[in-house]
Amino acid sequence: MTNFENMKQQVVNAVMRMDEMELLCLADDTGMAACGMTGIFNCTVCEEEYGECDVCPCTREHSERYIKWCRKEYSGRER
């Protein structure tokens, strides 16, 4: 295993230990949510699933929608 491979494994291990909110923060901090990656919760996914939302992503309503979305069974469909 190279140092690069080991580093990737350590990142995967760290992600696997995260709870829902920690993972959302990681996706936001790294820009994954903003770039519209498939399978990453963002405002577009939120509105498609739960209807229009006039709140910023840091509100309780948005967080509740995110947790609800996380607990849904993955359907495998692309956006």
Side-chain angles (χ1 to χ4, degrees):
M1 173 183 289
T2 65
N3 285 326
F4 177 66
E5 291 167 333
N6 181 60
M7 183 175 156
K8 287 195 302 185
Q9 186 61 53
Q10 296 309 314
V11 170
V12 168
N13 293 344
V15 169
M16 294 302 290
R17 289 188 302 270
M18 291 180 178
D19 66 18
E20 293 94 342
M21 295 312 293
E22 290 170 327
L23 187 59
L24 182 61
C25 288
L26 175 65
D28 285 341
D29 291 348
T30 58
M32 285 185 244
C35 74
M37 289 179 64
T38 300
I40 305 293
F41 190 81
N42 58 38
C43 288
T44 302
V45 171
C46 182
E47 288 184 357
E48 286 175 357
E49 292 285 324
Y50 304 107
E52 192 167 332
C53 168
D54 294 330
V55 297
C56 83
C58 57
T59 65
R60 180 179 166 157
E61 180 184 7
H62 188 80
S63 296
E64 288 173 354
R65 287 178 171 193
Y66 167 67
I67 295 295
K68 185 176 180 180
W69 178 83
C70 284
R71 294 180 178 159
K72 287 176 67 175
E73 190 67 28
Y74 177 68
S75 67
R77 62 184 157 89
E78 299 289 321
R79 296 195 286 123

